[in-house]
Amino acid sequence: RPEDFLQECMQIDERLNGPSMARTRSFSRARSLPREQMPAPSPEPDSLTVTFTRRSAVKFGSALYVTGDCAVLGETDKHQAVRMECVGENLWSVSVEGVPRNARYRYIVKRDDRNTDGDAHEEYYDTEHALKLTAANMPGQQLKREIEQDDTFHNVRFLVSKEGAQKMFVTGNLEFLGSWNTKHAVPMDKFGSNLFTKVVKVPSDKLAAFEYKFFDGRSVEKGFNRRSDAHMVEPQQEGGDLSSRVITLQSVWEGLLVRFIIYHPLNEADETMAISGSHRRMGSWHGKPLTMGLGDPRTLLTGVDGRCWEATFPADDGDVENVQYRYCILNGKSAIFEREPNRVIPCIPGNKRTAQVGYSTLSFPQTGQGRTGYRQREFLVYDGNFVPPNLSFNDVPPFLAIGPYPQTEVDVKAMVAAGVTGVLNVQTDVDHNSRMIDWNMMEKLYKENGIQVVRVPIEDFNGEELARLVKKAACAVEVLVQSANTKGLTPKVYIHCTAGMGRAPAVACVWMVMFMEGFTLDAALKHVKHHRSVAAPNWYSMEQALKVRNTTPPPSWGVRALAAAKSAESACKPAPRSEKLRHPLGQASVSSATHTPHTQGGGVGCALVEACESTMPSCAPMLPGACRGVSDSAFGSGWSEPVPVAVTLMY
């Protein structure tokens, strides 16, 4: 509500500047950018009637539902999901009107609302990632208003490497994989010196249930069977083809594949990302770094789409403990290392450990017991936040700048030279401690150089907390803008998180919607990304915070970070931490790596402003493969556009 954010402004202003009868402050949305600087509005996506069809084996008393990121699919609320009709053995279908062409959706198995006699209490999503309406983008479908989204089969690519092999087959417990008869195994195509590939259509009700092995024409892989983890792998739309998607299961013969992923757009064509570290595959610090390649678009940790840098290598036979590493940018002449402390993975599992695991996983495994188990296919490390060695930030007109965290007097002097009048820091104490940031020293440097500073700590990659606190952070930005105006200065507020890619751009976008005329959330995001290309804020956390529904989402749809609650009052309550899901439309794997703290203990200096101290949940620890939680009751269901207001506060 307008009165809420004005109250926030008043409180932050009083804590920053102190009460003064001589000072007035006008918080308004009267200012605007010149028309030629405003981003062009995005066209509204047309609506379709979509017939969803999927195979799913459910128990008596349960049913298959479809949910998605639009009103007609329940806005990702599993309680508002659309029930599908069983039209055959394991075959479900439903037609839904008014589905936007750019919608994303998921299937969920849960208790049948129509049948209370069943004893089934299962509830799970059929896949861990949201799906796009591929049928809406197939040739000849762009002009149709009624489409069929057939998800009864998925394209699964088997990809395996083996040195010296001349041919390769895949066999398994399903009929189309030969039912373990190697005479009927599926032949794979060879490319390169040691890689083999084959795309197979797998029924959706078998996607998470089938077992398989590779066969080189003479012998089958030794050890336990591989169990499909295809439901955990995000489908890729390869080569820009929006009409199809492929799930790739990349493997190493009788071994484990290790994959590192990080998102960081580069400006120059001759630049590439690499990893240098203590692991022998990373050059053991003194050798050649492990170079990375640019993959297909995937869902980022902030919930939007982007192309990530990826590197893979076969695991060693034994576990490798205490793996320390850093990312760097190679440009043909030198390596530019990130300014962060070394990243640390307590243990990268080896082939022996992963030859018998208890269940399918992409994280650190639980070892199987006795004669049961499966061979793990992949160990995934999904990292975020590459911070360049030098403070590099971007101006975002009219009054903002966005970048990574300052840490030294040199950084502060550079900010002064750029005309910065205020700083909003959204890093947490955990961020400070793990990156050796002396906040007492930074506060002193800011004060000595005439820069006002406000802290609104927001946990990184926590969409729930971002949605809850981003408006308070935007109000802090407005206070800093108005404070500079009062002093006769041209305002420039430097907003920073850790890398200036997620939380800081989100605050900038929300500030523009709240305090600038003519900006929808879509227009604000375009404006911010135009000036800071690496920005990738969580769209749906911003949308939830603003309670804006009538704006066009960006083309790259990410995973919604939060679900709406049943009542608006719950928006003011502390977010429950019990449900361990990152977001209702899918879980993104969280890196098991942490940063090595170079100092011990707490003692980070007190901030000028500590936001929502009474309601902020404690930071959840980053556990290997864990996803930190959201709750379906995190936010209220009341939605409204912010109203233009102008109020003068007098002290």
Side-chain angles (χ1 to χ4, degrees):
R1 297 177 302 173
E3 57 267 33
D4 288 340
F5 68 72
L6 290 171
Q7 181 70 18
E8 297 282 8
C9 286
M10 180 177 66
Q11 293 173 354
I12 294 172
D13 182 57
E14 183 171 342
R15 298 176 80 175
L16 182 65
N17 298 297
S20 172
M21 295 299 296
R23 184 177 68 254
T24 64
R25 187 84 73 246
S26 176
F27 299 101
S28 72
R29 292 177 61 186
R31 63 177 81 91
S32 62
L33 283 177
R35 183 180 299 273
E36 61 273 11
Q37 295 184 23
M38 288 291 293
S42 298
E44 289 290 333
D46 52 340
S47 297
L48 310 169
T49 297
V50 181
T51 300
F52 296 93
T53 308
R54 186 172 180 82
R55 293 184 178 276
S56 184
V58 301
K59 297 179 180 179
F60 176 70
S62 296
L64 187 66
Y65 292 74
V66 60
T67 183
D69 65 329
C70 56
V72 294
L73 294 178
E75 290 287 358
T76 76
D77 184 351
K78 62 186 179 184
H79 302 294
Q80 303 298 321
V82 179
R83 186 188 186 278
M84 304 178 71
E85 301 292 335
C86 186
V87 296
E89 184 179 0
N90 291 349
L91 186 62
W92 300 78
S93 183
V94 69
S95 294
V96 183
E97 297 181 355
V99 180
R101 187 178 292 271
N102 64 345
R104 282 200 182 186
Y105 63 96
R106 287 185 77 189
Y107 297 101
I108 180 173
V109 175
K110 65 174 187 170
R111 189 180 184 92
D112 191 351
D113 296 335
R114 300 181 189 174
N115 185 356
T116 58
D117 296 332
D119 56 357
H121 296 284
E122 57 184 357
E123 184 172 295
Y124 59 89
Y125 289 103
D126 252 10
T127 63
E128 293 193 9
H129 296 275
L131 304 175
K132 297 179 182 179
L133 285 174
T134 54
N137 298 285
M138 295 178 68
Q141 300 289 321
Q142 285 82 355
L143 300 179
K144 290 187 177 182
R145 291 297 176 265
E146 296 184 7
I147 63 170
E148 295 184 7
Q149 184 63 48
D150 187 352
D151 292 322
T152 56
F153 288 85
H154 283 276
N155 293 321
V156 176
R157 171 182 286 112
F158 295 95
L159 179 65
V160 64
S161 61
K162 183 184 180 184
E163 292 289 345
Q166 298 302 314
K167 53 185 177 180
M168 190 67 66
F169 303 82
V170 59
T171 185
N173 64 342
L174 299 180
E175 183 177 356
F176 60 84
L177 292 178
S179 299
W180 294 121
N181 187 339
T182 55
K183 294 181 179 179
H184 302 292
V186 179
M188 303 180 71
D189 301 320
K190 185 176 182 180
F191 69 98
S193 60
N194 62 344
L195 288 174
F196 300 85
T197 182
K198 186 66 176 182
V199 176
V200 177
K201 285 188 175 294
V202 178
S204 56
D205 56 343
K206 305 294 184 183
L207 196 63
F210 71 91
E211 299 176 22
Y212 66 100
K213 280 186 173 182
F214 296 104
F215 170 55
D216 66 359
R218 293 179 297 179
S219 61
V220 179
E221 285 184 295
K222 298 177 182 178
F224 288 91
N225 299 337
R226 300 177 183 269
R227 184 176 177 86
S228 171
D229 55 9
H231 60 295
M232 303 178 183
V233 180
E234 184 172 11
Q236 300 290 301
Q237 303 197 344
E238 300 173 338
D241 182 7
L242 298 180
S243 64
S244 64
R245 51 180 175 241
V246 180
I247 298 172
T248 298
L249 303 182
Q250 185 176 355
S251 308
V252 176
W253 174 271
E254 294 183 352
L256 173 73
L257 182 80
V258 179
R259 184 187 304 272
F260 281 77
I261 298 176
I262 189 171
Y263 173 74
H264 186 73
L266 299 179
N267 297 322
E268 303 297 332
D270 63 342
E271 292 181 333
T272 186
M273 296 291 293
I275 312 173
S276 180
S278 60
H279 196 287
R280 67 184 184 88
R281 300 283 184 176
M282 303 171 183
S284 301
W285 288 121
H286 301 292
K288 181 180 178 181
L290 176 66
T291 56
M292 310 182 77
L294 204 55
D296 291 308
R298 65 166 62 240
T299 304
L300 307 180
L301 294 176
T302 55
V304 297
D305 284 357
R307 295 186 67 188
C308 296
W309 294 92
E310 302 187 22
T312 60
F313 57 85
D316 291 353
D317 286 339
D319 297 347
V320 181
E321 298 181 349
N322 190 33
V323 177
Q324 300 194 27
Y325 64 101
R326 286 192 183 192
Y327 289 96
C328 59
I329 300 174
L330 303 180
N331 57 17
K333 298 180 181 179
S334 61
I336 303 172
F337 281 81
E338 57 183 333
R339 73 188 297 184
E340 301 276 89
N342 294 343
R343 302 174 188 257
V344 179
I345 301 175
C347 180
I348 293 181
N351 294 327
K352 293 180 180 179
R353 177 184 294 273
T354 56
Q356 182 184 7
V357 300
Y359 50 84
S360 299
T361 181
L362 300 179
S363 58
F364 197 82
Q366 175 182 328
T367 304
Q369 301 296 325
R371 298 183 179 181
T372 62
Y374 308 96
R375 181 184 294 278
Q376 184 173 342
R377 182 187 60 84
E378 178 178 316
F379 176 73
L380 175 64
V381 180
Y382 199 156
D383 280 323
N385 291 340
F386 179 92
V387 181
N390 299 316
L391 188 68
S392 175
F393 55 89
N394 302 100
D395 289 344
V396 180
F399 305 128
L400 307 181
I402 302 174
Y405 62 92
Q407 193 173 15
T408 65
E409 184 176 6
V410 174
D411 294 339
V412 176
K413 294 296 184 182
M415 296 163 68
V416 172
V420 172
T421 59
V423 170
L424 174 68
N425 175 6
V426 299
Q427 286 185 298
T428 64
D429 288 352
V430 173
D431 293 328
H432 285 179
N433 288 337
S434 63
R435 291 165 175 85
M436 306 177 297
I437 298 173
D438 186 340
W439 183 243
N440 287 328
M441 179 193 74
M442 293 303 298
E443 281 189 306
K444 181 179 178 182
L445 289 173
Y446 287 136
K447 184 176 181 180
E448 291 174 350
N449 287 274
I451 296 177
Q452 291 185 306
V453 61
V454 176
R455 276 191 72 196
V456 182
I458 303 174
E459 186 181 0
D460 206 2
F461 304 125
N462 187 331
E464 177 186 349
E465 188 160 293
L466 177 63
R468 185 164 56 84
L469 296 177
V470 68
K471 286 176 70 175
K472 176 180 281 287
C475 292
V477 171
E478 178 63 13
V479 169
L480 292 169
V481 169
Q482 296 283 5
S483 184
N485 280 330
T486 301
K487 299 174 183 177
L489 303 174
T490 301
K492 180 182 286 189
V493 178
Y494 184 79
I495 310 173
H496 77 82
C497 46
T498 295
M501 297 171 64
R503 292 169 287 177
V507 173
C509 290
V510 171
W511 175 82
M512 299 192 80
V513 174
M514 291 173 64
F515 296 102
M516 294 284 293
E517 285 293 338
F519 273 96
T520 63
L521 184 55
D522 177 50
L525 180 57
K526 284 184 175 180
H527 182 69
V528 169
K529 286 184 69 69
H530 175 73
H531 293 280
R532 184 164 177 80
S533 60
V534 299
N538 191 317
W539 168 271
Y540 290 100
S541 293
M542 297 186 294
E543 186 189 48
Q544 289 280 10
L546 292 167
K547 296 181 172 62
V548 176
R549 268 182 151 172
N550 299 320
T551 56
T552 305
S556 56
W557 189 94
V559 182
R560 182 178 294 275
L562 301 167
K566 291 296 183 181
S567 62
E569 288 81 2
S570 63
C572 301
K573 299 177 182 178
R577 308 290 290 189
S578 57
E579 187 172 348
K580 298 304 180 183
L581 293 176
R582 176 174 289 278
H583 29 58
L585 276 184
Q587 298 186 58
S589 299
V590 179
S591 168
S592 56
T594 57
H595 290 288
T596 305
H598 286 221
T599 57
Q600 301 294 328
V604 177
C606 61
L608 293 175
V609 172
E610 293 291 346
C612 290
E613 292 173 344
S614 61
T615 60
M616 189 189 313
S618 60
C619 296
M622 179 86 73
L623 299 176
C627 292
R628 284 164 300 171
V630 303
S631 169
D632 289 344
S633 61
F635 285 88
S637 56
W639 297 70
S640 62
E641 283 282 355
V643 180
V645 292
V647 175
T648 300
L649 308 176
M650 304 193 65
Y651 302 99

